[in-house]
């Protein structure tokens, strides 16, 4: 996840929301909470979250309806649905709408921490890939510039296809 791992917990049940927030706070995560969909969207638009745990049933909307707007506000955010009313249909809908996981209440802290760990790992790999791609693009640009300024011809042959590329004037 990001330098300061940030998690948004969206649940109208005070006990579940607060106990999950306390447990994750004790593990060093920055926690924000919301009681309903409106509050969740306001917080998502005002901050940068790596992960959101969203209850499937909220007072003002279905949690599944929040997946797309939350991801629009924070494109790299993972959204995990949380419910005590598990059905195959809601799980499939949530995953089809972009949720990255589904946890059933009552919450098992080990399961929650496993999900958080998986999200951390995935987001770390995504960030590393982004850095490597940027470094490669910069290296390619330096190579192109060096070739365009060279007074000699630079000849490159692809080891697999055997195709040749010539840089400079012959």
């Amino acid at each position: 996840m990001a330098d300061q791992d940030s998690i948004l917990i969206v649940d109208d049940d005070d006990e579940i929301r607060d106990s999950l927030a306390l447990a994750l706070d004790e593990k060093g995560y920055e926690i924000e909470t919301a009681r309903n969909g409106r509050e969740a969207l306001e917080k998502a638009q005002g901050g940068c979250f790596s992960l959101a745990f969203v209850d499937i049933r909220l007072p003002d909307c279905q949690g599944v309806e929040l997946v797309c707007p939350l991801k629009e506000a924070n494109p790299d955010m993972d959204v995990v649905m949380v419910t005590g009313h598990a059905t195959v249909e809601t799980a499939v809908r949530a995953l089809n709408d972009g949720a990255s996981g589904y946890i059933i209440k009552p919450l098992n802290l080990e399961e929650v921490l496993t999900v958080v760990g998986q999200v951390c790992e995935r987001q770390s790999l995504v960030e590393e890939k982004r850095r490597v791609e940027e470094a490669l693009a910069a290296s390619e640009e330096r190579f192109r510039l060096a070739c365009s300024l060279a007074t000699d011809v630079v000849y490159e042959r692809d080891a697999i296809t055997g195709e040749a590329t010539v840089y400079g004037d012959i």
Side-chain angles (χ1 to χ4, degrees), residues 5 21-29 109 113:
D5 301 337
L22 179 62
L24 291 172
D25 181 64
E26 286 177 356
K27 295 292 183 181
Y29 299 102
L109 185 56
L113 293 175

Side-chain angles (χ1 to χ4, degrees), residues 35-73:
R35 290 183 170 89
N36 56 50
R38 180 189 52 75
E39 206 177 306
L41 290 175
E42 287 174 4
K43 291 194 177 195
Q45 291 166 349
C48 184
F49 296 95
S50 302
L51 173 63
F53 286 104
V54 180
D55 190 10
I56 224 71
R57 291 189 182 173
L58 295 167
D60 59 347
C61 68
Q62 292 294 311
V64 175
E65 296 169 4
L66 292 176
V67 175
C68 289
L70 285 173
K71 290 184 76 66
E72 284 175 12

